[in-house]
Amino acid sequence: MSKSIFNSFYQYLIENYRLPEENQHNDVAWPKALLAHKQKAFEFFKTHGFPSTKQEDWKYTNLAGPLQQVFHIPTNDTAADLKAAIASASIKDAHAYHIVLLNGKWQRELSDPLPDGVHFLDGKDALHHYYAEEYFASLADPTGVSLVAMNTAFIPAFNLLHIQKSTDRPLHIMHFYAVNEPAFLPERLLLVAEEGVQTQWIDTFHQLTSAPVFINYVTEQFLKEHVAMDIFLINQLQPSAVVFHHSETYLHSQSTYHHLNFSFPGAGFIRNNINARLQGSSSEANLWGLYLSGDQQLVDNHTIVDHQVPLCNSNEWYKGILQDKSTGVFNGKIFVEKGAQKTNAFQKNNAILLSREATVHAKPQLEIFADDVKCSHGSTVGQMNEDALFYLRTRGLSELKARQLLIEAFAYDILSKVQNDAVAHHVMQLLRQHLHVESALPAGV
């Protein structure tokens, strides 16, 4: 009990929790089997509270400050000009199918018609889908993370994305948030991709109002045999946002999963848990990440790649560019279970500090219980390469331009993994927009 945070926000949540009734009429009716998950999750959160820095996975990430105020559970929707927001959030030349959410709720009339074989469901349609009882809370909740339990307990409903056929264009889920007072916004997505599906999915996050928000977003993703999926996660929230995102992905035989995680100066607090479970032979998981942080922002990326069967591959590479007084955290874990022979698993983390006041904490980890494997991990933290900088200056480049080119080259290793030119260009533009190279120049330059 002493390792957790029990504050006024926690007390507010406990006092205001109401378990939905199976046959209620005013809100979405939850099936009995799913209600049991919510009740169990609430009891877990009630017992454990918010994690504190005394817990190893939260050693460098203190929630006491970000959650010191009470984030209320919204009772009414806030008006927002979503048409203008959609136009602004669209990625040029991506030609994506837009799925629009406001505070986690699907805005059907503002979303694009989806292609044949792709179904986005909400409310009772999601709750009573045949995959809901089979998969909901089966991947994320057993991890024993109290913020996941909080999500399960407090979500009013969840969304379900069922992909039965390959898509000719990316799917773009636009998450918009609009509130008039500090608000707690839990959001949940269950994704199932059927055998042989090939698709790309863009996940972007945008605030339309300045009031503080605590976004708790959990995804459970099931990739069946021979699925190939790319996910692009792009965080563009404001400083008043506190973000917790937990993603669990199950990979069946010969499936391939590319997860690309991008965040930029904005949200004051970001914690991402990105986990992949390789449960089918000859599957592959690749986790790539790039974050540019600024001001006093904290960006924490925790990852798990769990090799449970033989003949699987994984690659992981996270890079951080830290400005101002920002803090970066990377904790990557690779598990190779007993019997997961012929595993290839590689992990790398690099960070560059553009300010003397920026801080980064890195902890790559390997736990191997099989003997016929190829695994490695490594981590570096440093500043601008002065030799490379000198070389560029001798070729006539200004100090400012030379530093910008070196930083973009540092980022390119991750951007080159984006198998979508429009998304790669969009991310590069965001990088240039938020990068303040002049603040990294030595005094007098």
Side-chain angles (χ1 to χ4, degrees), residues 212-336:
V213 291
F214 173 33
I215 298 164
N216 184 321
Y217 177 44
V218 174
T219 61
E220 294 180 296
Q221 297 149 193
F222 295 83
L223 312 187
K224 298 196 175 180
E225 293 89 344
H226 302 281
V227 167
M229 176 174 285
D230 294 357
I231 296 180
F232 310 112
L233 187 74
I234 305 174
N235 192 319
Q236 297 174 249
L237 293 164
Q238 298 177 16
S240 59
V242 177
V243 183
F244 170 74
H245 173 44
H246 187 103
S247 171
E248 288 283 344
T249 303
Y250 164 103
L251 287 81
H252 212 287
S253 299
Q254 300 184 60
S255 57
T256 303
Y257 174 60
H258 300 277
H259 187 281
L260 295 106
N261 176 14
F262 301 103
S263 61
F264 300 94
F269 178 99
I270 300 173
R271 168 64 178 254
N272 294 309
N273 291 350
I274 310 297
N275 303 336
R277 316 286 177 178
L278 291 85
Q279 299 181 340
S281 62
S282 301
S283 56
E284 178 178 332
N286 299 303
L287 308 183
W288 319 114
L290 174 67
Y291 66 91
L292 171 66
S293 58
D295 298 322
Q296 298 186 47
Q297 183 183 33
L298 184 144
V299 180
D300 179 350
N301 291 301
H302 270 59
T303 66
I304 294 176
V305 179
D306 187 5
H307 288 261
Q308 301 181 6
V309 296
L311 300 170
C312 293
N313 301 312
S314 69
N315 295 279
E316 181 175 4
W317 197 355
Y318 265 69
K319 286 196 165 191
I321 304 166
L322 294 96
Q323 307 176 118
D324 309 320
K325 297 181 181 180
S326 62
T327 300
V329 180
F330 173 78
N331 186 302
K333 298 177 183 176
I334 296 175
F335 295 102
V336 182

Side-chain angles (χ1 to χ4, degrees), residues 10 52 77 106 115 233 339:
Y10 165 84
S52 79
D77 293 331
W106 184 25
L233 187 74

